[in-house]
């Protein structure tokens, strides 16, 4: 999981990228039916009443989203821009969700983005 900024003001855009890499020595194929195999989740429920934004929002569940095949050493990345609105304030969690089976859960590397509360010599 990668973010272009760890501190942002409302109206600024943060670029987000999630990457899955096959570090093994065999081709890996993951296929699920009802959710994306790889997703980015911006959870700003604590900073606003708006809730959660996902990279997959509005995208149909096609095989392109529900199936991932990676050869050894191969990677797949997804990217999105997130722009907090004027009501956003405080730390916002951003997770990369990689679903490796039909079972609930998956890997969730994350980053924290501060909105309006940038750490520094004059800030928190």
């Amino acid at each position: 999981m990668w973010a272009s900024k760890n501190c942002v003001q409302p109206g600024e855009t943060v670029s987000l990228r999630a990457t899955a890499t096959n570090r093994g020595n065999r081709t890996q194929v993951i296929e699920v039916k009802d959710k994306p195999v790889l997703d980015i989740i911006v959870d700003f429920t604590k900073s606003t009443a708006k809730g959660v934004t996902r990279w997959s929002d509005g995208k149909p569940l096609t095989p392109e989203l529900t199936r991932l095949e990676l050869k050894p050493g191969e990677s797949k990345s997804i990217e999105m821009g997130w722009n907090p609105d004027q009501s956003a304030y405080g730390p916002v969690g951003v997770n990369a969700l990689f679903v490796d089976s039909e079972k609930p859960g998956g890997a969730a590397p994350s980053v924290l983005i501060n909105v309006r509360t940038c750490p520094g010599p004059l800030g928190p």
Side-chain angles (χ1 to χ4, degrees), residues 68-91:
L68 179 63
E69 180 175 338
L70 295 176
K71 296 178 176 122
E74 192 174 29
S75 296
K76 164 77 176 182
S77 294
I78 57 174
E79 297 183 20
M80 71 180 275
W82 177 63
N83 187 333
D85 67 17
Q86 290 297 324
S87 64
Y89 188 87

PDB file of all heavy atoms in Angstrom, residues 68-91:
ATOM      1  N   LEU A  68      -7.422 -13.142 -10.342  1.00  0.00           N
ATOM      2  CA  LEU A  68      -6.055 -12.622 -10.417  1.00  0.00           C
ATOM      3  C   LEU A  68      -5.117 -13.786 -10.669  1.00  0.00           C
ATOM      4  O   LEU A  68      -5.135 -14.776  -9.928  1.00  0.00           O
ATOM      5  CB  LEU A  68      -5.684 -11.915  -9.116  1.00  0.00           C
ATOM      6  CG  LEU A  68      -4.285 -11.325  -9.022  1.00  0.00           C
ATOM      7  CD1 LEU A  68      -4.095 -10.215 -10.058  1.00  0.00           C
ATOM      8  CD2 LEU A  68      -4.039 -10.765  -7.627  1.00  0.00           C
ATOM      9  N   GLU A  69      -4.324 -13.694 -11.713  1.00  0.00           N
ATOM     10  CA  GLU A  69      -3.309 -14.713 -12.017  1.00  0.00           C
ATOM     11  C   GLU A  69      -1.962 -14.019 -12.094  1.00  0.00           C
ATOM     12  O   GLU A  69      -1.779 -13.097 -12.885  1.00  0.00           O
ATOM     13  CB  GLU A  69      -3.627 -15.410 -13.342  1.00  0.00           C
ATOM     14  CG  GLU A  69      -2.619 -16.469 -13.698  1.00  0.00           C
ATOM     15  CD  GLU A  69      -2.998 -17.240 -14.954  1.00  0.00           C
ATOM     16  OE1 GLU A  69      -4.186 -17.269 -15.320  1.00  0.00           O
ATOM     17  OE2 GLU A  69      -2.076 -17.816 -15.569  1.00  0.00           O
ATOM     18  N   LEU A  70      -1.043 -14.459 -11.250  1.00  0.00           N
ATOM     19  CA  LEU A  70       0.297 -13.865 -11.212  1.00  0.00           C
ATOM     20  C   LEU A  70       1.354 -14.955 -11.356  1.00  0.00           C
ATOM     21  O   LEU A  70       1.383 -15.909 -10.578  1.00  0.00           O
ATOM     22  CB  LEU A  70       0.525 -13.124  -9.894  1.00  0.00           C
ATOM     23  CG  LEU A  70      -0.334 -11.894  -9.618  1.00  0.00           C
ATOM     24  CD1 LEU A  70      -0.050 -11.349  -8.226  1.00  0.00           C
ATOM     25  CD2 LEU A  70      -0.100 -10.826 -10.664  1.00  0.00           C
ATOM     26  N   LYS A  71       2.236 -14.782 -12.327  1.00  0.00           N
ATOM     27  CA  LYS A  71       3.382 -15.673 -12.485  1.00  0.00           C
ATOM     28  C   LYS A  71       4.430 -15.301 -11.431  1.00  0.00           C
ATOM     29  O   LYS A  71       4.365 -14.207 -10.858  1.00  0.00           O
ATOM     30  CB  LYS A  71       3.947 -15.536 -13.890  1.00  0.00           C
ATOM     31  CG  LYS A  71       2.980 -15.984 -14.955  1.00  0.00           C
ATOM     32  CD  LYS A  71       3.545 -15.782 -16.334  1.00  0.00           C
ATOM     33  CE  LYS A  71       2.579 -16.342 -17.339  1.00  0.00           C
ATOM     34  NZ  LYS A  71       2.124 -15.396 -18.314  1.00  0.00           N
ATOM     35  N   PRO A  72       5.391 -16.172 -11.171  1.00  0.00           N
ATOM     36  CA  PRO A  72       6.428 -15.832 -10.189  1.00  0.00           C
ATOM     37  C   PRO A  72       7.091 -14.491 -10.507  1.00  0.00           C
ATOM     38  O   PRO A  72       7.467 -14.220 -11.652  1.00  0.00           O
ATOM     39  CB  PRO A  72       7.423 -16.985 -10.317  1.00  0.00           C
ATOM     40  CG  PRO A  72       6.594 -18.133 -10.797  1.00  0.00           C
ATOM     41  CD  PRO A  72       5.572 -17.517 -11.719  1.00  0.00           C
ATOM     42  N   GLY A  73       7.156 -13.629  -9.503  1.00  0.00           N
ATOM     43  CA  GLY A  73       7.757 -12.302  -9.663  1.00  0.00           C
ATOM     44  C   GLY A  73       6.846 -11.259 -10.269  1.00  0.00           C
ATOM     45  O   GLY A  73       7.178 -10.079 -10.299  1.00  0.00           O
ATOM     46  N   GLU A  74       5.688 -11.651 -10.743  1.00  0.00           N
ATOM     47  CA  GLU A  74       4.761 -10.721 -11.390  1.00  0.00           C
ATOM     48  C   GLU A  74       3.941  -9.968 -10.338  1.00  0.00           C
ATOM     49  O   GLU A  74       3.632 -10.494  -9.276  1.00  0.00           O
ATOM     50  CB  GLU A  74       3.836 -11.492 -12.326  1.00  0.00           C
ATOM     51  CG  GLU A  74       3.023 -10.633 -13.250  1.00  0.00           C
ATOM     52  CD  GLU A  74       2.234 -11.457 -14.256  1.00  0.00           C
ATOM     53  OE1 GLU A  74       1.859 -12.609 -13.973  1.00  0.00           O
ATOM     54  OE2 GLU A  74       1.982 -10.910 -15.346  1.00  0.00           O
ATOM     55  N   SER A  75       3.562  -8.724 -10.666  1.00  0.00           N
ATOM     56  CA  SER A  75       2.773  -7.875  -9.770  1.00  0.00           C
ATOM     57  C   SER A  75       1.547  -7.344 -10.478  1.00  0.00           C
ATOM     58  O   SER A  75       1.517  -7.231 -11.702  1.00  0.00           O
ATOM     59  CB  SER A  75       3.601  -6.678  -9.288  1.00  0.00           C
ATOM     60  OG  SER A  75       4.689  -7.088  -8.522  1.00  0.00           O
ATOM     61  N   LYS A  76       0.558  -6.983  -9.684  1.00  0.00           N
ATOM     62  CA  LYS A  76      -0.655  -6.312 -10.176  1.00  0.00           C
ATOM     63  C   LYS A  76      -0.908  -5.128  -9.257  1.00  0.00           C
ATOM     64  O   LYS A  76      -0.914  -5.268  -8.036  1.00  0.00           O
ATOM     65  CB  LYS A  76      -1.837  -7.285 -10.143  1.00  0.00           C
ATOM     66  CG  LYS A  76      -3.203  -6.661 -10.266  1.00  0.00           C
ATOM     67  CD  LYS A  76      -3.540  -6.271 -11.671  1.00  0.00           C
ATOM     68  CE  LYS A  76      -4.977  -5.740 -11.702  1.00  0.00           C
ATOM     69  NZ  LYS A  76      -5.416  -5.383 -12.974  1.00  0.00           N
ATOM     70  N   SER A  77      -1.100  -3.950  -9.832  1.00  0.00           N
ATOM     71  CA  SER A  77      -1.369  -2.737  -9.053  1.00  0.00           C
ATOM     72  C   SER A  77      -2.701  -2.133  -9.458  1.00  0.00           C
ATOM     73  O   SER A  77      -3.107  -2.214 -10.617  1.00  0.00           O
ATOM     74  CB  SER A  77      -0.275  -1.687  -9.263  1.00  0.00           C
ATOM     75  OG  SER A  77       0.948  -2.126  -8.752  1.00  0.00           O
ATOM     76  N   ILE A  78      -3.355  -1.519  -8.479  1.00  0.00           N
ATOM     77  CA  ILE A  78      -4.534  -0.704  -8.737  1.00  0.00           C
ATOM     78  C   ILE A  78      -4.275   0.659  -8.124  1.00  0.00           C
ATOM     79  O   ILE A  78      -3.545   0.771  -7.137  1.00  0.00           O
ATOM     80  CB  ILE A  78      -5.829  -1.345  -8.190  1.00  0.00           C
ATOM     81  CG1 ILE A  78      -5.725  -1.608  -6.686  1.00  0.00           C
ATOM     82  CG2 ILE A  78      -6.165  -2.617  -8.952  1.00  0.00           C
ATOM     83  CD1 ILE A  78      -7.026  -2.104  -6.057  1.00  0.00           C
ATOM     84  N   GLU A  79      -4.847   1.695  -8.712  1.00  0.00           N
ATOM     85  CA  GLU A  79      -4.610   3.057  -8.231  1.00  0.00           C
ATOM     86  C   GLU A  79      -5.915   3.837  -8.196  1.00  0.00           C
ATOM     87  O   GLU A  79      -6.814   3.593  -8.992  1.00  0.00           O
ATOM     88  CB  GLU A  79      -3.627   3.780  -9.142  1.00  0.00           C
ATOM     89  CG  GLU A  79      -2.257   3.156  -9.173  1.00  0.00           C
ATOM     90  CD  GLU A  79      -1.270   3.932 -10.019  1.00  0.00           C
ATOM     91  OE1 GLU A  79      -1.511   5.137 -10.283  1.00  0.00           O
ATOM     92  OE2 GLU A  79      -0.263   3.347 -10.420  1.00  0.00           O
ATOM     93  N   MET A  80      -5.976   4.773  -7.262  1.00  0.00           N
ATOM     94  CA  MET A  80      -7.119   5.687  -7.192  1.00  0.00           C
ATOM     95  C   MET A  80      -6.667   7.002  -6.573  1.00  0.00           C
ATOM     96  O   MET A  80      -5.650   7.061  -5.882  1.00  0.00           O
ATOM     97  CB  MET A  80      -8.270   5.086  -6.389  1.00  0.00           C
ATOM     98  CG  MET A  80      -8.033   4.990  -4.895  1.00  0.00           C
ATOM     99  SD  MET A  80      -9.415   4.266  -3.970  1.00  0.00           S
ATOM    100  CE  MET A  80     -10.462   5.696  -3.705  1.00  0.00           C
ATOM    101  N   GLY A  81      -7.431   8.044  -6.838  1.00  0.00           N
ATOM    102  CA  GLY A  81      -7.218   9.324  -6.173  1.00  0.00           C
ATOM    103  C   GLY A  81      -8.304   9.518  -5.134  1.00  0.00           C
ATOM    104  O   GLY A  81      -9.455   9.145  -5.356  1.00  0.00           O
ATOM    105  N   TRP A  82      -7.938  10.058  -3.987  1.00  0.00           N
ATOM    106  CA  TRP A  82      -8.930  10.364  -2.954  1.00  0.00           C
ATOM    107  C   TRP A  82      -8.787  11.827  -2.581  1.00  0.00           C
ATOM    108  O   TRP A  82      -7.690  12.333  -2.360  1.00  0.00           O
ATOM    109  CB  TRP A  82      -8.747   9.491  -1.723  1.00  0.00           C
ATOM    110  CG  TRP A  82      -9.712   9.832  -0.624  1.00  0.00           C
ATOM    111  CD1 TRP A  82     -11.069   9.726  -0.690  1.00  0.00           C
ATOM    112  CD2 TRP A  82      -9.407  10.353   0.661  1.00  0.00           C
ATOM    113  NE1 TRP A  82     -11.628  10.148   0.501  1.00  0.00           N
ATOM    114  CE2 TRP A  82     -10.623  10.544   1.348  1.00  0.00           C
ATOM    115  CE3 TRP A  82      -8.223  10.686   1.316  1.00  0.00           C
ATOM    116  CZ2 TRP A  82     -10.685  11.038   2.638  1.00  0.00           C
ATOM    117  CZ3 TRP A  82      -8.283  11.179   2.595  1.00  0.00           C
ATOM    118  CH2 TRP A  82      -9.510  11.351   3.253  1.00  0.00           C
ATOM    119  N   ASN A  83      -9.926  12.512  -2.530  1.00  0.00           N
ATOM    120  CA  ASN A  83      -9.963  13.934  -2.246  1.00  0.00           C
ATOM    121  C   ASN A  83     -10.894  14.159  -1.062  1.00  0.00           C
ATOM    122  O   ASN A  83     -12.103  14.088  -1.215  1.00  0.00           O
ATOM    123  CB  ASN A  83     -10.476  14.664  -3.493  1.00  0.00           C
ATOM    124  CG  ASN A  83     -10.409  16.152  -3.374  1.00  0.00           C
ATOM    125  OD1 ASN A  83     -10.454  16.711  -2.283  1.00  0.00           O
ATOM    126  ND2 ASN A  83     -10.317  16.804  -4.506  1.00  0.00           N
ATOM    127  N   PRO A  84     -10.350  14.403   0.149  1.00  0.00           N
ATOM    128  CA  PRO A  84     -11.233  14.633   1.296  1.00  0.00           C
ATOM    129  C   PRO A  84     -12.027  15.923   1.135  1.00  0.00           C
ATOM    130  O   PRO A  84     -11.517  16.904   0.606  1.00  0.00           O
ATOM    131  CB  PRO A  84     -10.272  14.727   2.480  1.00  0.00           C
ATOM    132  CG  PRO A  84      -8.953  15.066   1.897  1.00  0.00           C
ATOM    133  CD  PRO A  84      -8.936  14.530   0.499  1.00  0.00           C
ATOM    134  N   ASP A  85     -13.266  15.887   1.588  1.00  0.00           N
ATOM    135  CA  ASP A  85     -14.091  17.085   1.496  1.00  0.00           C
ATOM    136  C   ASP A  85     -13.848  17.987   2.710  1.00  0.00           C
ATOM    137  O   ASP A  85     -13.045  17.675   3.593  1.00  0.00           O
ATOM    138  CB  ASP A  85     -15.570  16.743   1.330  1.00  0.00           C
ATOM    139  CG  ASP A  85     -16.164  16.072   2.556  1.00  0.00           C
ATOM    140  OD1 ASP A  85     -15.572  16.139   3.657  1.00  0.00           O
ATOM    141  OD2 ASP A  85     -17.236  15.465   2.413  1.00  0.00           O
ATOM    142  N   GLN A  86     -14.541  19.087   2.771  1.00  0.00           N
ATOM    143  CA  GLN A  86     -14.320  20.091   3.819  1.00  0.00           C
ATOM    144  C   GLN A  86     -14.636  19.582   5.225  1.00  0.00           C
ATOM    145  O   GLN A  86     -14.147  20.123   6.197  1.00  0.00           O
ATOM    146  CB  GLN A  86     -15.148  21.349   3.525  1.00  0.00           C
ATOM    147  CG  GLN A  86     -14.662  22.126   2.335  1.00  0.00           C
ATOM    148  CD  GLN A  86     -13.252  22.669   2.509  1.00  0.00           C
ATOM    149  OE1 GLN A  86     -12.850  23.072   3.593  1.00  0.00           O
ATOM    150  NE2 GLN A  86     -12.470  22.655   1.441  1.00  0.00           N
ATOM    151  N   SER A  87     -15.464  18.540   5.343  1.00  0.00           N
ATOM    152  CA  SER A  87     -15.819  18.049   6.676  1.00  0.00           C
ATOM    153  C   SER A  87     -14.809  17.053   7.229  1.00  0.00           C
ATOM    154  O   SER A  87     -14.867  16.697   8.401  1.00  0.00           O
ATOM    155  CB  SER A  87     -17.213  17.406   6.643  1.00  0.00           C
ATOM    156  OG  SER A  87     -17.204  16.268   5.820  1.00  0.00           O
ATOM    157  N   ALA A  88     -13.878  16.587   6.401  1.00  0.00           N
ATOM    158  CA  ALA A  88     -12.904  15.590   6.860  1.00  0.00           C
ATOM    159  C   ALA A  88     -11.911  16.212   7.831  1.00  0.00           C
ATOM    160  O   ALA A  88     -11.439  17.331   7.625  1.00  0.00           O
ATOM    161  CB  ALA A  88     -12.174  14.988   5.675  1.00  0.00           C
ATOM    162  N   TYR A  89     -11.611  15.469   8.897  1.00  0.00           N
ATOM    163  CA  TYR A  89     -10.675  15.966   9.906  1.00  0.00           C
ATOM    164  C   TYR A  89     -10.085  14.783  10.656  1.00  0.00           C
ATOM    165  O   TYR A  89     -10.808  13.874  11.048  1.00  0.00           O
ATOM    166  CB  TYR A  89     -11.407  16.882  10.892  1.00  0.00           C
ATOM    167  CG  TYR A  89     -10.474  17.586  11.841  1.00  0.00           C
ATOM    168  CD1 TYR A  89      -9.888  18.790  11.486  1.00  0.00           C
ATOM    169  CD2 TYR A  89     -10.170  17.043  13.076  1.00  0.00           C
ATOM    170  CE1 TYR A  89      -9.024  19.443  12.344  1.00  0.00           C
ATOM    171  CE2 TYR A  89      -9.302  17.695  13.942  1.00  0.00           C
ATOM    172  CZ  TYR A  89      -8.729  18.892  13.569  1.00  0.00           C
ATOM    173  OH  TYR A  89      -7.867  19.531  14.407  1.00  0.00           O
ATOM    174  N   GLY A  90      -8.781  14.793  10.865  1.00  0.00           N
ATOM    175  CA  GLY A  90      -8.143  13.750  11.656  1.00  0.00           C
ATOM    176  C   GLY A  90      -7.563  12.636  10.814  1.00  0.00           C
ATOM    177  O   GLY A  90      -7.498  12.710   9.596  1.00  0.00           O
ATOM    178  N   PRO A  91      -7.107  11.562  11.473  1.00  0.00           N
ATOM    179  CA  PRO A  91      -6.490  10.450  10.752  1.00  0.00           C
ATOM    180  C   PRO A  91      -7.514   9.618   9.992  1.00  0.00           C
ATOM    181  O   PRO A  91      -8.600   9.352  10.484  1.00  0.00           O
ATOM    182  CB  PRO A  91      -5.834   9.627  11.859  1.00  0.00           C
ATOM    183  CG  PRO A  91      -6.527  10.012  13.110  1.00  0.00           C
ATOM    184  CD  PRO A  91      -7.072  11.379  12.920  1.00  0.00           C
TER     185      PRO A  91
END
